[in-house]
Amino acid sequence: MSESILHMDNIEKHFGNVIALNGVSFDVKPGECHCLLGDNGAGKSTFIKTMSGVYRPSQGQIYMGGKPVQFGSPRDAMAAGIACVYQDLAMIPLMSVARNFFMGREPTKGKFLWKRFDTEHADEITMTEMKKMGINLRSADQAVGTLSGGERQTVAIARAVYFGAKVLILDEPTSALGVRQTSNVLATIDKVREQGVGVVFISHNVRHALAVGDRFTVLNRGQTLGTAARGEITSDELQDLMAGGQELAQLEGSLGGTI
Amino acid sequence: MSLENDSTVDERLKEESRVARLMKRPELGAVAGALLVAIFFMFTADGSMFTLSGIINILSPAAQLGILAIAAALLMIGGEFDLSIGSMVAFAGLVFGFCVVNFDLPLILAIPITLIFCAGVGAVNGQIVLRTGLPSFIVTLAFLFILRGLSLVGLKAATGGSTQLRGVRDAVEGDPLAPFFSGDAFQGFFQWAASMGWIDTFRSGLPKVPGIPVEIIWFIVLAGVATYVLLKTPAGNWIFAAGGDKTAASNSGVPVRKVKIALFMLTASCAALLAITQVLDAGSTDARRGFMKEFEAIIAAVIGGCLLTGGYGSAIGAFFGSIIFGMVVIGLTYTNIDQDWFQVFLGSMLLLAVIFNNAIRKRVTGER
Ligand SMILES: Nc1ncnc2c1ncn2[C@@H]1O[C@H](COP(=O)(O)OP(=O)(O)OP(=O)(O)O)[C@@H](O)[C@H]1O
Ligand SMILES: [Mg+2]
């Protein structure tokens, strides 16, 4: 396929003397879903936070469209076209769905001193975008705190999708969802991908990843264990890689292969 | 059984009534409280409390507190406190008095200098809070003492030993800007209304209320602008977001640091504005000005629906909180009740408001 939109080269990230990432390379092409897999604490969240401008890499370089870039803040990364749905969702429970939806990117109307937050427009878009994702809001000024965990996830995804990024990063979007909402999210990922957006899908659920992924990269203790394309790798092999090769194999005997 | 899912209606959603929605407004408590207090005084106070001059009497202290309280409310919604605003009033008074009396500057220079200087101190407050990550409560508590002390020392230096700087009135005599910051507004209208017999007059024919004290105008304008900014501008959304969860906000692209610094500058500027009007009205400045006002302002903001944890509240609530304050301060003088009950009242209102707000917040977030 075509050239990658985003390329992360040999990224390292240290927190004091904790080495969270130790030379990770990764790239996303337009219209593909690249899954980043790894166990708890593997460094997935840290990696995508360097991708989206929250952290600066201690070492390594980020390229967008072939050019080296540096993100000083999430705002910079967003301006460059990287949208991120964090594991912690970046939502404020006391604020309304619409205010959360447009947080930091409020639509305005009017000029100069009368340039104001177009709340009606914001409410309207929020309602329609949420409906597209299969969620009927009572009203757009319902507080996010009143939504279920899955509904919140959907708001966060709908928001990222709506702001039409070139790269959409989803940090474990399905881990808190029920069956129906999971399949909704996976279907959305598919739609987003068809529009030519590069999706980075973080998960430790191999089934979810295999359902939509085009390529799979496994992270373990801050390092990549390699990248495989769809069809080149089986669920079991991925599972083993994620666990670092051995431990799971031993466990599997006693659990009768239920994981 | 059909598994078909009609996506337009969801049987679990009940239409929310208008009343139920109103019940969730943060300023509900303050409005209800203001009504209750008004009713209380209608029964206990002398009838003259609710005449035009009585109402102006109430609004004056309400406005003086409200100018601080509205700014304090915005800052609280933004997730921070400023305990230094009371001392800032004295400090701004010193800067302003010094400009006007010692340097003989016209108001067109003295006012901006005072505002900018105080906003600068506010920015320092904010920078320290953000850089150190310490609670703003502690940092601004330090400034409460620092600014009060500087005001005392500075005034003594400026006057050669006194903690009062006089001579402001003479210094600003005839200044074209003075009417915007002192005295009464709309005097012509009130005279006209008196001549038409619409309002009470003295025997000489002059109206008993010569006009609306300008600080009341500032108070109302500030409440309007603050409410508009909060509810109808992107900046308002950023204030709620910054106070609600600063990591989530900055991850979503909200310039949290800028918002917070701007809010600290705003509280300091509002303290300076209050100082300017007070100094011009009194004709002198005093190191004791604004004493304890930071607490009253925070109480008014809390009565107005602000949560101590940030991210929730309203400017119009702080407006009504200040009016409650004015009604009680002045109202007690119209009754036979010992005025020293005032503090008891203030404390009880605070407690009630906090309990009430907590309940409201649980409603808003669906008791999660
Ligand atoms: N701010 C930080 N300071 C110090 N150490 C950190 C920080 N953030 C992450 N780490 C460490 O870096 C490692 C990787 O964490 P990270 O959150 O990226 O894991 P993850 O792969 O997202 O795990 P999970 O699947 O549980 O979300 C962990 O050991 C964690 O303790
Ligand atoms: Mg994680």
Side-chain angles (χ1 to χ4, degrees), chain A residues 124-201:
Chain A
E124 213 178 284
I125 291 179
T126 306
M127 294 297 281
T128 44
E129 291 301 314
M130 289 307 289
K131 194 166 269 176
K132 277 189 205 163
M133 298 290 285
I135 304 242
N136 287 300
L137 293 176
R138 184 169 50 209
S139 83
D141 59 15
Q142 186 179 355
V144 160
T146 59
L147 299 178
S148 78
E151 287 168 331
R152 284 186 217 191
Q153 182 74 55
T154 317
V155 177
I157 293 175
R159 171 172 70 177
V161 171
Y162 174 76
F163 285 102
K166 294 181 208 154
V167 178
L168 173 64
I169 305 166
L170 304 170
D171 191 3
E172 306 201 14
T174 53
S175 61
L177 299 189
V179 184
R180 177 160 163 252
Q181 281 174 356
T182 297
S183 68
N184 258 337
V185 170
L186 296 180
T188 312
I189 291 175
D190 194 42
K191 267 187 247 159
V192 172
R193 175 172 57 185
E194 274 166 21
Q195 291 166 22
V197 176
V199 179
V200 180
F201 178 53

Side-chain angles (χ1 to χ4, degrees), chain B residues 201-279:
Chain B
T201 56
F202 291 116
R203 212 165 286 161
S204 63
L206 286 174
K208 277 188 180 166
V209 178
I212 300 178
V214 283
E215 67 262 25
I216 297 179
I217 312 273
W218 280 106
F219 171 49
I220 294 170
V221 169
L222 203 61
V225 171
T227 302
Y228 173 79
V229 168
L230 264 185
L231 299 180
K232 287 286 168 194
T233 69
N237 212 31
W238 297 351
I239 294 174
F240 280 113
D245 182 339
K246 62 175 192 288
T247 336
S250 78
N251 283 350
S252 303
V254 174
V256 173
R257 296 179 69 93
K258 279 189 199 158
V259 168
K260 293 202 171 189
I261 300 269
L263 289 174
F264 275 109
M265 292 171 74
L266 175 78
T267 53
S269 307
C270 283
L273 171 66
L274 178 65
I276 291 168
T277 62
Q278 287 189 337
V279 169

